[in-house]
Amino acid sequence: MDLLEYMRSQDSMTQAEWERTFEDEGREILVLLAGGSGAGKRNGFWDVSHYFIAYVDCQTGALHTGDGRIVYPVSDEEHDAGGILDRFRREAVYRLKARKKIPHEVPEGVTASSQNQFLIVEVLEEDASCPALDKVLTEYRKPVVLNDEELGELTLDKDLDMFEGEVLWRGEQICVSLEVDAADEDTWADARRAMKVMLAEQDRWDGDMRSSAARELTELACEWRESADEEVPEITEESFARRIELRSIAMEPDGSFSAYFDDDDMFFGHCVVVYGSLTDGVASAEMAG
């Protein structure tokens, strides 16, 4: 089963089927939440996730570090009422009774955190005391800064798994973000290397991205121009390519990238996003935001 088929099979599960993917018996754990939260629509319910970076098995006392999720289902009505992501605080320790995800084979591309899950049975204590997890949190809060000769200072946002910084692109400062696995330094090196490859050929990449965006979006920009309240200049592919301004690039370890351009008000303040990879070149462009 490939990744797409796997994701579709997961999303088609009913709540009863989904809950059967967890162990029958609950266990007591202390869990340190950090890294955000989210909710995904499944078959008749929502799967709510809060991310953790470590937990302690209360029966054995063993400390387990690594990204994971505590999860629970909510109905469409609960989701639509709002506030479902406010149930748990970040950088806090909770004592829970929870059922662990049953290990199963997954295709390449499935994140480790999606397999390291606990389905909440009961919240036993908030702001629980746990010296071992306090040490993990102290380490987690320490800033991680890389100084690269070509990319400058890069600061790790651990919640987003992303290094952020600025580089000089054709004479102008732009923002860069390197999307990494915060726990895997090999991905740090791969993303930095990929960004430097693009930076070394920035004139070519800049031209390719501009011309591709112009080919795909000039017609749409002309449609938006017709709905403007005031007279605006005619838009051609040449003027479109010239007017957009690169603001940031998000680079992944495998060389896939997203480049974000200011639209110069051709889409009334929306942005232009160009997607591609170092190996295959520019793939597509869209108006977004």
Side-chain angles (χ1 to χ4, degrees), residues 126-163:
E126 298 183 18
D127 294 318
S129 175
C130 181
L133 292 179
D134 288 343
K135 290 181 180 178
V136 174
L137 181 57
T138 298
E139 189 65 28
Y140 177 81
R141 286 173 170 167
K142 291 180 180 178
V144 176
V145 179
L146 298 178
N147 287 290
D148 187 282
E149 289 185 5
E150 297 176 53
L151 304 181
E153 184 175 281
L154 300 166
T155 303
L156 178 63
D157 185 324
K158 296 178 182 178
D159 286 345
L160 297 179
D161 276 359
M162 180 184 297
F163 278 99

Side-chain angles (χ1 to χ4, degrees), residues 46-105:
W46 289 80
D47 168 7
V48 183
S49 301
H50 297 268
Y51 291 80
F52 66 76
I53 56 174
Y55 74 92
V56 169
D57 187 313
C58 294
Q59 181 175 356
T60 65
L63 170 66
H64 301 267
T65 57
D67 293 341
R69 308 175 190 178
I70 56 171
V71 300
Y72 55 94
V74 301
S75 66
D76 287 336
E77 292 75 18
E78 290 174 297
H79 174 270
D80 294 343
I84 62 172
L85 302 182
D86 301 330
R87 181 176 177 184
F88 295 93
R89 293 186 298 106
R90 290 165 56 184
E91 298 191 5
V93 175
Y94 289 82
R95 184 184 297 272
L96 307 173
K97 183 177 181 181
R99 296 161 52 191
K100 187 171 176 58
K101 186 82 169 179
I102 299 171
H104 64 283
E105 187 175 349

Side-chain angles (χ1 to χ4, degrees), residues 142-241:
K142 291 180 180 178
V144 176
V145 179
L146 298 178
N147 287 290
D148 187 282
E149 289 185 5
E150 297 176 53
L151 304 181
E153 184 175 281
L154 300 166
T155 303
L156 178 63
D157 185 324
K158 296 178 182 178
D159 286 345
L160 297 179
D161 276 359
M162 180 184 297
F163 278 99
E164 298 175 315
E166 292 186 349
V167 298
L168 198 63
W169 183 275
R170 304 186 76 243
E172 300 289 339
Q173 290 291 123
I174 66 166
C175 298
V176 295
S177 56
L178 309 182
E179 300 179 2
V180 300
D181 180 344
D184 182 358
E185 294 192 18
D186 286 344
T187 65
W188 305 6
D190 289 343
R192 289 163 67 189
R193 186 161 41 248
M195 189 64 238
K196 285 189 276 192
V197 168
M198 191 176 198
L199 201 60
E201 300 183 328
Q202 58 187 268
D203 288 338
R204 177 176 68 83
W205 281 108
D206 192 85
D208 288 350
M209 291 190 293
R210 288 174 182 275
S211 60
S212 179
R215 284 194 303 271
E216 294 195 36
L217 298 175
T218 296
E219 184 177 348
L220 180 61
C222 290
E223 294 175 6
W224 280 62
R225 173 179 176 268
E226 292 175 0
S227 64
D229 294 331
E230 57 188 40
E231 187 174 344
V232 295
E234 180 184 359
I235 301 172
T236 64
E237 286 193 15
E238 291 75 16
S239 67
F240 185 104

